[in-house]
Amino acid sequence: MNREKEPSQADALLAEAERISALLAEHAARHDREGTFPVEGLAATIRSPINTAALGAEGGAGAPCSWLTFGRIVAILARGDASFATAWLMHQGAMSVFRALIDPDERSRFEQALRRGAWVANALSEPTSGNMFLVPRQVARKAERGHRLTGEKRFVSGCEHADCFFTAAVCDGQPAFFLIDRDDSISIEPIWDTLGMRATRSQIVRFQDTLLPDARRLAVDPLAPNPIPVAAAWLSIGIAEAAMAAAVAYARERVLPPGDRPIAELQWVQFAVADMSLRLEAARALAMRTAEAADGGDPSYGLLQLQAKAVANEAAVAITTAALEIAGGAGYMRSRPIERHLRDAMSGPLMALSGPVIREIVGKALLGVGTPEQ
């Protein structure tokens, strides 16, 4: 795929992401404390060019931004508020599949809704599906104009603000995917009370005899690049960047007697910050390699995106932990963002694909011993 050509396009998108990230940062602590969705970020992004940057111009008339630029946008947003960046990435992954709509009229109608700012929630995870998002188990019954689904999906980030849902079910014995409008047959159960990523509001979504219209069926290519797996590593990178910046600032400002010298002059602090940098640069390098492979149509991106996620997840946990150690008791207080960065970082290895599943897939691929049992 030919993606962005002009550096100025990328620069403008990244500058816009920085603007929104600053807005997110202003409200992140409150939303984390109260467990509320970052509505300021929602309002800002749906009016922003970054919201449709990965789609390109309407009707395919202009190239989308590169995967590298998109990943960097995700990291920038995550520096401001990782919860919102996560929900926004799920929205991006869900909205990107509209071009797989089989019905051309629905494809056109849906694209117009997206460009007006419709929010799409990713409702694929089932209570018994584990990491197998593309292999639904819930069965929809045959009905007039399509199928009807009664069941539930979990971990649906930002679902309370969704206009549409990307969901799946077993139809006529086969996995089938749909983009559907929100209606009265869809309800939300507010169960989200978590350690980290508190503001994603990733609730349970219940479908009660919900119509999955034939006209909204998707011909999904599971091998095509999708924003979620391609950019998942950048969520952790953004968290790690924010934590490292907070730790460096604290080390420079905190002074100890005798002599009132900053703790930045202590060797163990210098070593800790150096280790942060090593881990962060390694995670960035692998995420950038993944994006470049996806931009270049290199099929190796599939394995690389898994490796990049695992490395970035582990780097973020290590970096935020080290940041807390540098800040000590001050970092443990909610008056500083470090403890929030640590709690958010810990979600990365748990989010699909999880660390153990990634290792199984990568190990079996490298050894040539078949596909993992999930």
Side-chain angles (χ1 to χ4, degrees), residues 17 35 85 101 103 114 121 137 142 176 195 216 252 264 271 305 315 357:
L101 281 164
D103 187 311
L114 292 176
R137 296 187 178 188
K142 184 69 176 176
L195 175 70
R216 289 295 193 86
R252 289 171 174 167
F271 280 16
Q305 67 189 13
V357 172

Side-chain angles (χ1 to χ4, degrees), residues 150-214:
T150 296
E152 67 180 47
K153 309 294 180 177
R154 62 177 184 172
F155 305 142
V156 187
S157 299
C159 58
E160 292 156 319
H161 298 272
D163 303 291
C164 314
F165 293 90
F166 172 38
T167 194
V170 177
C171 297
D172 303 319
Q174 298 295 324
F177 300 86
F178 301 84
L179 278 172
I180 62 172
D181 293 325
R182 185 171 182 171
D183 62 24
D184 291 340
S185 71
I186 301 172
S187 61
I188 294 170
E189 182 180 347
I191 51 86
W192 197 245
D193 186 12
T194 55
L195 175 70
M197 293 291 183
R198 291 179 51 77
T200 64
R201 301 284 296 176
S202 302
Q203 316 289 17
I204 289 176
V205 173
R206 298 192 185 279
F207 299 91
Q208 184 61 48
D209 207 31
T210 301
L211 178 64
L212 307 177
D214 288 336

Side-chain angles (χ1 to χ4, degrees), residues 242-244 246-248 250 263 268 272 276 316-334 336-343 346:
M244 182 173 174
V248 168
Y250 182 83
I263 66 170
W268 77 266
M276 288 182 185
V317 172
I319 289 168
T320 54
T321 300
L324 183 62
E325 291 171 350
I326 289 173
Y332 205 61
M333 301 293 289
R334 287 193 174 185
R336 292 183 182 268
I338 291 175
E339 59 85 30
R340 171 166 49 86
H341 297 324
L342 175 57
R343 289 186 287 105
M346 293 177 70

Side-chain angles (χ1 to χ4, degrees), residues 300-326:
S300 68
Y301 83 87
L303 207 59
L304 285 170
Q305 67 189 13
L306 299 180
Q307 294 170 316
K309 180 181 182 296
V311 169
N313 290 165
E314 291 167 13
V317 172
I319 289 168
T320 54
T321 300
L324 183 62
E325 291 171 350
I326 289 173

Side-chain angles (χ1 to χ4, degrees), residues 23-225:
L23 173 67
L24 293 170
E26 291 179 20
H27 303 277
R30 174 173 58 84
H31 287 303
D32 173 75
R33 182 175 61 254
E34 298 174 357
T36 50
F37 192 74
V39 291
E40 304 85 4
L42 174 63
T45 53
I46 62 174
R47 296 193 300 264
S48 169
I50 69 170
N51 196 48
T52 55
L55 298 181
E58 188 169 359
C65 71
S66 70
W67 286 119
L68 179 56
T69 296
F70 182 78
R72 292 176 67 191
I73 289 171
V74 171
I76 291 168
L77 296 179
R79 290 205 308 259
D81 186 342
S83 286
F84 181 77
T86 299
W88 186 77
L89 179 57
M90 298 303 110
H91 156 67
Q92 289 289 308
M95 69 184 279
S96 71
V97 300
F98 85 91
R99 290 199 173 101
L101 281 164
I102 297 172
D103 187 311
D105 292 334
E106 288 295 327
R107 194 182 314 136
S108 176
R109 191 193 73 79
F110 203 86
E111 179 173 9
Q112 292 173 22
L114 292 176
R115 295 188 184 280
R116 290 194 301 268
W119 184 269
V120 190
N122 194 322
L124 294 179
S125 178
E126 297 180 358
T128 61
S129 66
N131 284 250
M132 300 175 67
F133 293 141
L134 300 183
V135 187
R137 296 187 178 188
Q138 295 174 358
V139 178
R141 65 178 178 83
K142 184 69 176 176
E144 184 180 358
R145 298 184 294 115
H147 291 75
R148 289 192 177 273
L149 173 63
T150 296
E152 67 180 47
K153 309 294 180 177
R154 62 177 184 172
F155 305 142
V156 187
S157 299
C159 58
E160 292 156 319
H161 298 272
D163 303 291
C164 314
F165 293 90
F166 172 38
T167 194
V170 177
C171 297
D172 303 319
Q174 298 295 324
F177 300 86
F178 301 84
L179 278 172
I180 62 172
D181 293 325
R182 185 171 182 171
D183 62 24
D184 291 340
S185 71
I186 301 172
S187 61
I188 294 170
E189 182 180 347
I191 51 86
W192 197 245
D193 186 12
T194 55
L195 175 70
M197 293 291 183
R198 291 179 51 77
T200 64
R201 301 284 296 176
S202 302
Q203 316 289 17
I204 289 176
V205 173
R206 298 192 185 279
F207 299 91
Q208 184 61 48
D209 207 31
T210 301
L211 178 64
L212 307 177
D214 288 336
R216 289 295 193 86
R217 195 159 179 165
L218 299 154
V220 173
D221 179 0
L223 300 180

